Amino acid sequence: MSDDDLLETLDWRGNMVDCAACAHRDRRIDPETPPETVSNPDGKPAGRCQPRRACVHDRYAKRIQRFFEWNADLAAEHLGHPYFEVRANAARFAPIFQLPRLIEDPDETVRATLARRLPRRLLLKLRDDPDREVRIAVAARLEDADLAPLMRDPDCSVRMRVVRRIPEGMLPAMMHDEDPEVRVEVARRVAMDWLPSLAWDDSPRVRLVVAQRLPPAKLHVLLRDADWMVRLAVAGRIDIDQLDPLLDDPEDEVRAIARQRRQGRAIANDLPPL
């Protein structure tokens, strides 16, 4: 059920919303009136609110968000509101120069909103935020050396966002990350000169990426890999002259691929020249 399906109009303290006491009651339009039909004399859409659809006092986030979408000019004056949803949604529409006052806001939702809008010099102040969602939002916007401190973030989701954004030259520093999913991403992006070092990674998912990326002539380092999926990838790509160890592999699928490739070369060698 969406917020628009709810008939109740309660504020963040659980009290009924009183339109008569609202400072923005002059912007109110009837609940049954299509909002797009209401305009100012100049023909532009009017700033407005609508019970059960767009209300800054309603406790439902979507209704608060819609209020500021329709009344962006009122966002700045609500940045100090006691309800975090109001502050967070107001921060989406308020002028950027008004936002620094919220950098130390007690609610992480508000700070995460700031992280998506603040310029770099102010964004750096949120890089050590105690909340992971805020740091993820920060990592999604910072670039290059500014991301370096987040490469050792305690949260793997933050590091995952970092490993997808840092320059290729910084990736070797994350090759030994404690989380295998982060190392998988390293294996997908790291320069070919560094890739063989991951052939001995503890995670078969990392080694599988290595098997899929290494040049065929270098795949011999994975011929005896403990994981059959890695050996299967090797069997399909390695130089045919190096296939012998896989012709008698304990896994049927690996043997089948290796023998099929060897047989295919034999048939090709028997064909008469064109």
Side-chain angles (χ1 to χ4, degrees):
M1 178 182 294
S2 70
D3 293 348
D4 291 339
D5 296 324
L6 297 168
L7 298 180
E8 63 180 4
T9 54
L10 303 178
D11 67 15
W12 63 283
R13 292 166 295 191
N15 300 320
M16 291 294 297
V17 173
D18 183 5
C19 291
C22 179
H24 311 304
R25 58 185 177 275
D26 59 317
R27 303 195 180 204
R28 183 183 186 277
I29 59 176
D30 187 88
E32 304 304 322
T33 302
E36 61 274 10
T37 65
V38 182
S39 300
N40 285 318
D42 61 4
K44 296 181 179 179
R48 54 197 180 270
C49 57
Q50 189 176 46
R52 300 196 305 274
R53 183 165 173 78
C55 176
V56 72
H57 299 298
D58 204 300
R59 66 180 177 181
Y60 294 108
K62 186 63 179 179
R63 296 175 181 178
I64 298 170
Q65 175 186 328
R66 192 177 288 124
F67 175 85
F68 289 117
E69 288 174 350
W70 294 357
N71 302 276
D73 59 305
L74 298 177
E77 65 184 74
H78 288 86
L79 292 176
H81 196 279
Y83 185 31
F84 78 93
E85 288 285 10
V86 173
R87 299 196 306 278
N89 279 285
R92 295 178 57 191
F93 298 93
I96 288 181
F97 70 86
Q98 299 271 11
L99 299 183
R101 71 172 90 165
L102 296 177
I103 285 180
E104 296 184 2
D105 192 277
D107 191 89
E108 63 274 11
T109 305
V110 178
R111 301 195 304 275
T113 301
L114 263 61
R116 299 181 184 100
R117 295 197 63 201
L118 288 174
R120 173 189 169 277
R121 64 182 180 82
L122 295 175
L123 187 59
L124 292 175
K125 295 184 177 182
L126 291 172
R127 191 168 52 186
D128 297 322
D129 193 275
D131 186 80
R132 65 186 288 273
E133 295 299 331
V134 177
R135 299 196 305 278
I136 289 173
V138 170
R141 293 190 57 216
L142 289 179
E143 297 180 355
D144 301 339
D146 288 339
L147 285 167
L150 294 173
M151 293 167 64
R152 295 290 178 263
D153 192 275
D155 190 276
C156 65
S157 296
V158 177
R159 301 196 306 277
M160 181 64 76
R161 185 61 61 95
V162 170
V163 79
R164 290 171 177 166
R165 289 181 55 78
I166 56 175
E168 184 181 280
M170 295 173 68
L171 286 169
M174 300 190 74
M175 289 176 59
H176 302 291
D177 190 276
E178 64 184 40
D179 190 280
E181 294 304 313
V182 173
R183 300 198 304 276
V184 165
E185 196 63 28
V186 172
R188 288 173 178 156
R189 294 193 57 218
V190 76
M192 199 60 67
D193 290 345
W194 289 95
L195 190 59
S197 300
L198 291 170
W200 290 272
D201 192 275
D202 291 339
S203 170
R205 292 199 60 220
V206 175
R207 301 196 305 275
L208 179 60
V209 175
V210 175
Q212 293 166 342
R213 287 193 62 205
L214 273 181
K218 295 185 177 182
L219 284 172
H220 61 277
V221 297
L222 292 168
L223 276 170
R224 306 290 185 183
D225 194 273
D227 189 272
W228 75 273
M229 290 293 292
V230 176
R231 300 196 307 278
L232 183 65
V234 172
R237 298 187 61 243
I238 196 170
D239 286 345
I240 292 181
D241 292 337
Q242 298 179 327
L243 266 175
D244 286 359
L246 299 177
L247 295 174
D248 296 309
D249 193 271
E251 286 291 332
D252 293 345
E253 292 187 47
V254 178
R255 288 198 310 275
I257 291 293
R259 293 177 181 182
Q260 182 180 357
R261 291 189 66 211
R262 174 59 63 85
Q263 182 180 11
R265 189 177 78 164
I267 293 174
N269 288 339
D270 288 341
L271 290 175
L274 294 177

